[in-house]
Amino acid sequence: MEQMRYEAPDTVDAAVALLVGAGGETRILAGGTDLLVQLRAEWIEPDLILDVKKIPELTEISKENGGFRIGAAVTGAELGEHLGVKKAWPGVVEAVELIGSVQIQSRATMGGNLCNASPAADSVPALIAAGATAAIAGPNGRREIPVEDVGTGPGRTCLAKGEIVTSIFLPSRPAHSGDAYLRFIPRTEMDIAVVGAGVSLTLDGGGKCSAARVALGAVAERALLVDAAARALIGTPVDDAALDNLAKAASAAARPIDDKRGTKEYRIKVSGVLARRAAQAALERARQS
Amino acid sequence: MSGLEREIAFTLNGKATVTAADPVRRLADVLRRDLGLTGTKIGCDAGDCGACTVLLDGAQVCACMTPVAQVAGREVVTVEGLAAGGKLSALQEAFHLHGAAQCGICTPGMLMAAASLLRRNEAPDEGEIRDALGGVLCRCTGYSKIVEAVMGVVSPGGNLLKDPGVGEAVGARVPKTDGLALLDGGAIFGADRAPEDALWLRAVRSPHASATFTLGPFDNLHAKWPGLVKVLTAADVTGNNGFGIYPDIKDQPVLAVGEVRFRGEAVVALVGDYGAVHGIRDEDVPIAYEPRVPVVGLDAALGAGARQLHQAYPGNILAHGLVKKGDAAAALAASDIVVEGAFETGFVEHAYIEPEAGWARRRGGRIEVASSTQSPYMDRDEVAQIIGIAPDAVRIIPTACGGGFGGKLDIAVQPLVALAAWVLDRPVRCTYTRIESMASTTKRHPSRIKARFGCTQDGLLTAHTFDGDFDTGAYVSWGLTVKDRVPVHSTGPYHVPAVLANARGVFTNAPPSGAFRGFGVPQASIAHEALMDGMAERIGMDPLEFRHKNVIRTGQATATGQVLEASCGLAACLDELRPHWRKARADSAAFNARANGAARRGAGIACCWYGCGNTSMSNPSTMHVGVAPDGAVTLYSGAQDIGQGTNTTMVQCVADALGIEMSGVGLVWGDTGLTADAGKSSASRQAYVSGNAAKRAGEDLRRQILRLANVGEDARIEFGSGRLIVRDGDAVREIGLSTLTPLRAGDVLVGEGTFDPPTSPLDGNGQGAPYATYGFAAQMAEVEVDMELGLVRVRRVVAAHDVGRAINPTQVEGQIQGGIAQGLGFALMEEFIPGRTENLHDYLIPTIGDMPEIEVILVEDPEPTGPWGAKGVGEHALIPTAPAIFGAIYAATGARMTRAPAMPDRVRAAILAAKEGAA
């Protein structure tokens, strides 16, 4: 029987070196909430499990350029207790807090949610809407890319061999802006999104929308940044007409599959309804900020 | 999966602990298998159910999702660490007093989640409690009493623990006699213990719904895996390779013979050490399948040229049930109003939180099987004929049962471990995974129903016709019971003069549909209640009053011509609901008049009836009460407690019948070597049937004692050390026990009681008296529907149940609250799809957040043949819930749901269709 190696380095450089040096399949262990299920089901049989929870850089939240840098292995519970992030990006925190139960919150991480690359990952549309970037370390040094570029399809990322996501950066929040994330599930909790919608928008002095980002989850092979939906808001007072246009654009962008949680047609409809409601929630926050 | 072991040091329940383990092994597995702390339960191994919740540095985590390396240097607390100095914590006490633990399998997880909350918040409100417990699934309680219990820690109130005096046990809210073990991790469930030297067994199951296959050879597998002791195949079955519920139908093979008929059917079983049995991949076992196009669904099975699943059942029809009273066609033609409808429901999974588990050990020519079960004696007879030995050579020792709901009436691990232990002469254990449990065990029958009712312009029912097809899956299981139960009950609890009801069981390549709380009646109730609403609407009558006018009353005949002589309390249930109903209707109308968003509200009502006991057949229960030479009184009860609390109610019955305090009655339960056959824990029969047997056993013992002491009826009995003291007025008699001759199990005095409910067979037209008594209920649901998303939230349920007499009101409420949770799941979210929903994140059951406020109203219209007037409640609890919710959706939206579950996309589509219809 194959022996699976377990390593828990305490620096990013050591982690990268281990990943580069490893033959065969490697997997990153942070909270383990996806990894342990995959191991148990024997969907994966890695040769190396790399535990990143001992790397301080990955488990800290720090201020940076008016925004926040959140270690990839920070748990949902830790993020939820961070008043600064919660105040600046309530939609992102809401989204992270929707990942699983209380028990899962104590374990699950934003980096894991991003890199597991489920099309239905809750935090991802909210991060995309927020304009977040992911910091990546690898054998060729470090780079920073928009979060929407990380996932490329179900279970697939753009990470090259030896690369890991070390942190996620949430930018400084502009004045008069707000974000929100809504997820639709048939049950009240602990379920996988049928549709998720994240919206972030900024108002100018006259109350018109000067900037917006809209993202949808669970309606395509990966989370989508929907520019057309954002354009429906920009330059408007985010009135009913604009919201109707936003909903239409969101529905038009959705390309979901039929499954037991909802038909394709239904999920397209829900994409519009949810995007509209998320925009209304974001608008309320922008007005109050 | 295997890695390199390393030492991991952490604090466990306050003690420094060092254990050597593969770093990525799950904490839950290390706690249970390496450290012997089996109080932490494994329900899903995927973070979906929360049963394995422990505290890690005070925060609740799923131990199944925590690699053991990550607890190094940290503090872990399990349920075993909650009590201090032999004293239960206030939280555990509260769970005990409030009846928060039913089967007890989720209890450790619930306790840890609540403990985590109380550590950081001494006085949480109800919302905070619900949030904190939201990650733990419970299938028994509907969460009500769990929330009450945590509230009870915050603000203890009332004297819930009533220590009843002599003659006061029946009707008292006593906590479970065997409840403490459920709270400290002490209760032993199927997966918790086995002999030290037990081998492990794992079944290899078909990934195909229909296929032929060939096996072997297994030499290479043995060569690669030295820990593999045996690959058990059909050829190893020493007796009959078939099992089934009915004595003459043993159609489901223990291990398949050349052909599989559903995905999840057992083909071979690997027996050996843990690493080998669990390390071998299914793909590496030499089974060569030739898949075929499976027969999926009723249309495929009934279509011309459909492949026959079984030669013995032409046309894939298992059987046909009929009830015919009067001339229904003529009566319908003569009716002022006729309504009709077509309805569909899908497979529903029991989703008990304890997957099937157990072990077996051969002792010479005998075998012992310990497992989680609802029916020890049925298991005994089944194992005996599979091994090919006499029934009394088999001893079934039930473990604590972590939920059943009908699903543990069929055997699962029992024949596999028994055969392996028999053949190898070594103890063998097996624990199903969640996926295996869901893929391979029975389901609720999917149904397709067409029904009609007629009534007069005044709203009096005249006639009913019913045609129902029930997908019974690949094997018979309880299919015959469903086709009998359904036409008997399809009128609903109403007096209908003319009835023609047909039900068929149909074979398909799906998991066998078996017994699930209600045996087809919940499916049929969706039809009859929708049509009651339809008739009420047509004649402009209030739905409650329409039902009230038609409920079956004492002196009226059922569809089977059985004249009910007593205990018809449904009109009283509706009377209790009336004020709630009127208020709910007014409240939702007012809400909708104001509403400008997407939300609309509505209220719905539904009634049910359900015959207690097996249909038209003898189903006796026998109990013994013995007195040992030292004066200890023991009840020997074979009535399996699956969480509903039978162990407690039986003791209550015996205490009052014998005339002593409950605390003086010891209990031996379940073990077929020590207890008589009490029949199955099914068909809402134990409180009624075994309650009677327990009462009679107690009365028999009391009679013997009074005769021995030669005293009158009113004498008081006490048991001292080695003696019996009987007081009759001023007279005191003492009888030494040590000199008496032992009669049974070392007891020197033995009372015996047997009860078999009086029924009569159904004739060719389904006429007869199939049940000795019926329970009744009416429930009302208030919902809020998001008209844009089709999402339904149930806000409140009021449930009025005629239970004859509540032997233990706390437990009766617990049954009803839990039944409502299952009914809500059936109505709104639960549908099993083979291969797609074989886990608890794709198969959704209600969480604490899905459950509404529930008010339970107990109506006691005594049943003369019941113990102190009691009859059953287990299944009634669930039956009216789904139709009440569907009625409420209709009231809120104008859309009549005809298919369960009413998933949001279906509700949304029905709303659109209703709008189009109206336009």
Side-chain angles (χ1 to χ4, degrees), chain A residues 36 107 187 261 266 277, chain B residues 26 70 786 789 841 845:
Chain A
L36 263 67
R107 309 278 318 150
R187 191 159 79 168
R261 287 181 164 80
Y266 173 76
R277 291 182 186 180
Chain B
R26 296 145 176 270
Q70 291 189 342
D786 184 320
L789 298 175
H841 56 263
I845 67 171

Side-chain angles (χ1 to χ4, degrees), chain B residues 77-261:
Chain B
V77 181
T78 70
V79 70
E80 289 91 347
L82 281 182
K87 196 174 175 301
L88 291 187
S89 66
L91 178 64
Q92 289 165 303
E93 281 287 346
F95 265 58
H96 189 50
L97 300 186
H98 287 269
Q102 282 191 27
C103 81
I105 196 77
C106 79
T107 307
M110 285 289 182
L111 286 167
M112 300 321 290
S116 161
L117 171 68
L118 294 171
R119 278 182 175 205
R120 58 176 201 275
N121 182 350
E122 279 183 12
D125 62 26
E126 187 176 335
E128 290 167 323
I129 293 169
R130 286 179 175 269
D131 282 348
L133 303 186
V136 189
L137 295 176
C138 171
R139 194 57 159 168
C140 294
T141 65
Y143 306 97
S144 303
K145 294 204 181 292
I146 293 168
V147 175
E148 272 174 37
V150 183
M151 298 288 283
V153 179
V154 178
S155 49
N159 182 15
L160 288 152
L161 174 52
K162 192 169 171 237
D163 221 349
V166 173
E168 294 175 347
V170 170
R173 289 180 175 274
V174 289
K176 285 192 161 193
T177 50
D178 54 348
L180 295 177
L182 301 175
L183 301 166
D184 62 6
I188 303 302
F189 291 85
D192 291 344
R193 290 280 190 286
E196 283 282 311
D197 55 341
L199 297 170
W200 286 85
L201 178 147
R202 183 174 77 79
V204 178
R205 298 180 178 279
S206 170
H208 307 290
S210 178
T212 55
F213 67 85
T214 53
L215 291 178
F218 299 114
D219 310 1
N220 287 344
L221 202 61
H222 280 288
K224 188 175 173 200
W225 297 88
L228 177 66
V229 173
K230 176 147 185 78
V231 180
L232 207 63
T233 72
D236 296 306
V237 181
T238 48
N240 175 34
N241 182 18
F243 64 91
I245 296 308
Y246 307 102
D248 52 339
I249 305 175
K250 302 293 175 193
D251 64 324
Q252 182 167 354
V254 176
L255 292 165
V257 187
E259 179 181 6
V260 286
R261 296 184 176 86

